[in-house]
Each structure stands twice: as C-alpha cells, then as structure tokens.
Amino acid sequence: MTVSAEQIKKLRELTGAGILDAKRTLEQYDGDFDKALAVLKEKGLKAAEKKAERVAKQGLIETYVHGGGRIGVMVEVNCETDFVAATNEFRQLAHDVALQIAATKPLYVSMDDVPADIVAAQKKIFADAALAEGKPANIVERIVQGKTDAFFKESVLLRQTFIRDDALTIQDLVQSVIAKLGENIVVKRFVRFELGE
Amino acid sequence: MTVSAEQIKKLRELTGAGILDAKRTLEQYDGDFDKALAVLKEKGLKAAEKKAERVAKQGLIETYVHGGGRIGVMVEVNCETDFVAATNEFRQLAHDVALQIAATKPLYVSMDDVPADIVAAQKKIFADAALAEGKPANIVERIVQGKTDAFFKESVLLRQTFIRDDALTIQDLVQSVIAKLGENIVVKRFVRFELGE
C-alpha cells in the first residue's frame, strides 16, 4: 500500500521520527495513522528515557510577556550542549513552552513536583463532593480518580495538551524535540506573574 | 548667587524634583549640591511615604534576558493607573530594575522580605568570626553591625546602589520616579534564573 506524504509529514511533526521510520511504521500498520503514531510515540519515549540520565545543564532561559506587560512567563529549558541550545528547534521549543505557560497557568512542571499533601487534599475534596451527592462508594473511587487525573492534566505542564496542537501533550512535544536533536531535554522550572495578583 | 543649569539638571535626575524646586533649594544652600540633594531626597521620601498607602495594582511585568539566554530576570513593578504604567518614565524604571537584578543578584526586594532567622544566622556568623579573631566584645558589636549593613546593601534590592548611577540607591531611583509621576510605585516581586544553577 502507499502512504501519503502528508501522513508522513504529520507523523514526523508529532514524534520527531525520521522520514524512513515514519514511512515504514505507517506501511507496517497498513496506513493506520493512529496506530503508527502510538508506536512511534512509545519508541520516542523509550529513546528519551535512555537519554534522561544524561546531564542537561546547558539550554536557554526564555521569557514571554503578554498583554503589554500584564502577564509574564520565564522558563528554563535545559539540554546537554550549547550547540543544541542554539538550534532553531530548541529555541522554538523554549518559546512554545513559555507561550503554553502564559496561556494555561500550570502550577507544576512534572508529576514529581506535585506535593503529596496537595494530591491528598484534592482527592478528599473530590471524594467529599461525590459522597455528599449520595454516590455509592465503588463509584466514588472512580469519580475521584477521574477528577484527580483531570486536575493533573490541568495543573502539570508536561501533562497538558499543547495549545498549538491538541494531538500532543507538552511531554510529547519535548520528546519529539529530543528525538530530532538527540539530546536529553528537560523543562527545569518556570514562573508566571500576573499583574496585581 | 547663580546656580548652574548643569547642577539643576543633575538634581532633578537624582530626585525627580521640579526645575523651580531644584533651583530654589540650590540657591537656599548657596549652591551646595550635596546639601540640596539631601534636602530634596528627604522631601521626596516624605512625599513617597504619603503615597505609600495608596493601592498600586497596575503596572508592568518586565523581563530581561542576558547572555543569549544564560541569565533571565522577571520583575513586577506596580503603580496606581494604567496611564502611568504606559509612560516612558515608568517603563524605563521597570527596565532599569530588571537590569539591576540581572547584574547584582539581590535576594530580597525590601528589608521587610528578609526573614528574621536569616538575619540572626548572618549576625552569628559575623560575631563568631570576629570573636575567633580575638576582637574585644565592644568592637565585635560594631563589626557585626557593619557587616550586617553590608549584607543588606548587597542582598536587598532597594538598598543596593543603582548600577547606572552610584549617587542613587534603587530606593532613591523609585522615589525619583514617584516624584515625577505622582503615583505610588512599588517593586512587588522578582525572580532571577541562571542557566544550570
């Protein structure tokens, strides 16, 4: 079967895979785009995990100011060498992440940054609300899990859907750049100011 | 006696005083520039204190990135109206403060932000060092005071000497803009990132 150039291009954008890799995976799954995407994401995740232990101390501090000075974001994105930090792809990533933070107000970079007591407090609020509505215990558990996941998807930057492409999370976006540039990349920290808050 | 236009200009830059006010004060002190400066600063301080209770929720979030992304600063400077926030003088102040922070790495905005336990710990370090050198107790007290003042002058933004004019502290700089623009102005908060720190 023939796979379209359009499909290959989109797959590469979403995963950072090479042309041949994207083409072969699509062919392997008879042009099933979603299946190929899942397989390439998984492959990218494994490759990124291998790089995750490598020291990332170079990179960029990027800022973005919105609304004529009403919202400001500063983010540090690390990579391994200043060579990679100077590439357009890396700069674009840092810029996209800053825009994302300005738009979506995350509270944490990754799941590791969410304090356990915050998670516990949120779960209790969700459980109390469900119980107050008279839901049975076995359902309450599922409701709490669902609402907790939604809370993470909202407040954890890497779990958020990328505002410029809803097929990707920010984690996926970072992984696609890792795949393209071949270095460990870490969103280290950010701050977001809103005027008079 | 005649006072020079140069002296008046410099006085106005340093205090934000009006032309007539600067001229009269100079004449009153027979052209003694330092005396006139001290008097106008004191006057500015009192005027600024009067405005200090007025709500400052407008302003600007300003960012500054140095060294191609190696150092980043974000600062919020508040004033009372968006009209003043849009003036060149206010924008210049926000920019100057961001540059100052990039260059001098302060830890706190004002004395109020320095935690009491940090001050106590610093004083103990200074006292222990002086005692270890065999200084007598009455001298140790003065040494500790001197070193503590120096610590504040280094780590508290408003106490720092302005990098672009060593006749002014950052507090003086803010007060001169308050005098010029007639609104309460507050440096509210800042963050400074250094790559890989």
Side-chain angles (χ1 to χ4, degrees):
Chain A
M1 70 152 298
T2 330
V3 297
S4 74
E6 191 55 42
Q7 278 180 312
I8 293 173
K9 182 162 173 273
K10 186 72 189 157
L11 263 189
R12 297 188 65 205
E13 279 170 17
L14 294 177
T15 64
I19 291 190
L20 271 184
D21 211 11
K23 187 164 178 287
R24 279 181 193 146
T25 309
L26 265 173
E27 287 170 350
Q28 189 179 344
Y29 294 98
D30 297 328
D32 182 337
F33 184 83
D34 291 339
K35 182 72 193 160
L37 177 61
V39 167
L40 285 171
K41 268 192 183 177
E42 181 63 27
K43 215 166 148 182
L45 184 62
K46 281 193 185 138
E49 277 168 357
K50 268 190 205 153
K51 293 188 181 78
E53 282 168 33
R54 285 161 37 178
V55 176
K57 282 276 188 186
Q58 293 296 320
L60 280 179
I61 292 159
E62 171 81 3
T63 62
Y64 172 67
V65 173
H66 185 77
R70 301 196 71 84
I71 294 172
V73 169
M74 182 158 70
V75 60
E76 176 172 356
V77 186
N78 292 134
C79 56
E80 296 172 40
T81 62
D82 54 2
F83 174 77
V84 158
T87 59
N88 284 338
E89 288 85 353
F90 188 83
R91 288 181 178 271
Q92 183 65 46
L93 173 67
H95 185 65
D96 283 339
V97 170
L99 252 65
Q100 175 84 18
I101 294 164
T104 66
K105 275 193 184 193
L107 302 172
Y108 314 102
V109 174
S110 73
M111 291 297 290
D112 294 343
D113 302 319
V114 189
D117 57 341
I118 296 281
V119 177
Q122 284 289 344
K123 283 192 174 176
K124 186 163 172 359
I125 291 167
F126 298 144
D128 288 350
L131 288 168
E133 285 173 22
K135 310 277 189 201
N138 60 327
I139 305 279
V140 168
E141 204 172 299
R142 261 188 292 155
I143 292 176
V144 169
Q145 197 51 54
K147 289 201 171 174
T148 306
D149 286 348
F151 166 73
F152 290 147
K153 226 181 137 37
E154 200 179 294
S155 58
V156 176
L157 174 66
L158 292 176
R159 289 256 178 137
Q160 288 183 344
T161 302
F162 180 30
I163 51 169
R164 291 183 51 203
D165 187 342
D166 61 15
L168 293 175
T169 63
I170 297 299
Q171 176 91 57
D172 294 333
L173 176 68
V174 172
Q175 266 159 26
S176 73
V177 183
I178 292 176
K180 269 176 218 155
L181 300 178
E183 283 198 0
N184 185 19
I185 294 174
V186 178
V187 180
K188 188 178 171 195
R189 52 180 171 166
F190 69 84
V191 277
R192 182 185 189 280
F193 283 0
E194 212 166 313
L195 196 64
E197 73 189 349
Chain B
M1 70 153 298
T2 331
V3 299
S4 74
E6 191 53 44
Q7 278 180 310
I8 293 173
K9 182 160 171 276
K10 186 72 189 159
L11 262 190
R12 297 188 65 205
E13 279 170 16
L14 294 176
T15 64
I19 291 190
L20 271 184
D21 210 13
K23 187 164 179 287
R24 279 182 192 144
T25 310
L26 266 173
E27 286 170 351
Q28 189 179 345
Y29 294 99
D30 297 327
D32 182 337
F33 183 85
D34 292 338
K35 183 70 192 162
L37 177 61
V39 167
L40 285 171
K41 268 193 184 177
E42 182 64 25
K43 216 168 150 182
L45 183 62
K46 281 194 183 135
E49 277 169 358
K50 270 191 203 152
K51 294 189 181 75
E53 282 168 30
R54 287 164 31 181
V55 176
K57 283 276 189 185
Q58 293 297 321
L60 279 179
I61 291 159
E62 171 81 3
T63 63
Y64 172 67
V65 173
H66 185 77
R70 300 196 71 87
I71 294 173
V73 169
M74 181 157 70
V75 60
E76 176 172 358
V77 187
N78 291 136
C79 56
E80 297 172 39
T81 62
D82 53 3
F83 173 78
V84 158
T87 59
N88 284 337
E89 288 85 353
F90 189 82
R91 289 181 177 273
Q92 183 65 46
L93 173 67
H95 184 65
D96 283 339
V97 170
L99 251 66
Q100 175 85 19
I101 295 165
T104 63
K105 276 194 184 191
L107 301 173
Y108 314 101
V109 175
S110 73
M111 291 297 290
D112 293 344
D113 302 320
V114 188
D117 57 341
I118 296 280
V119 178
Q122 284 290 345
K123 283 191 172 176
K124 187 165 171 2
I125 292 168
F126 298 144
D128 289 350
L131 287 168
E133 284 172 23
K135 309 277 187 201
N138 61 327
I139 305 279
V140 167
E141 203 171 301
R142 262 189 291 155
I143 291 176
V144 169
Q145 197 50 53
K147 289 201 171 174
T148 305
D149 287 347
F151 165 74
F152 291 146
K153 225 178 139 38
E154 199 179 293
S155 56
V156 176
L157 174 65
L158 292 176
R159 289 256 179 138
Q160 288 183 345
T161 301
F162 181 29
I163 50 169
R164 291 182 49 202
D165 187 341
D166 61 15
L168 293 175
T169 63
I170 297 299
Q171 178 91 57
D172 294 334
L173 176 67
V174 172
Q175 267 159 25
S176 74
V177 182
I178 292 176
K180 268 176 218 155
L181 300 178
E183 282 198 3
N184 184 20
I185 294 174
V186 178
V187 179
K188 189 179 171 195
R189 51 179 173 169
F190 69 83
V191 279
R192 183 185 189 280
F193 283 179
E194 214 166 312
L195 197 65
E197 74 189 346

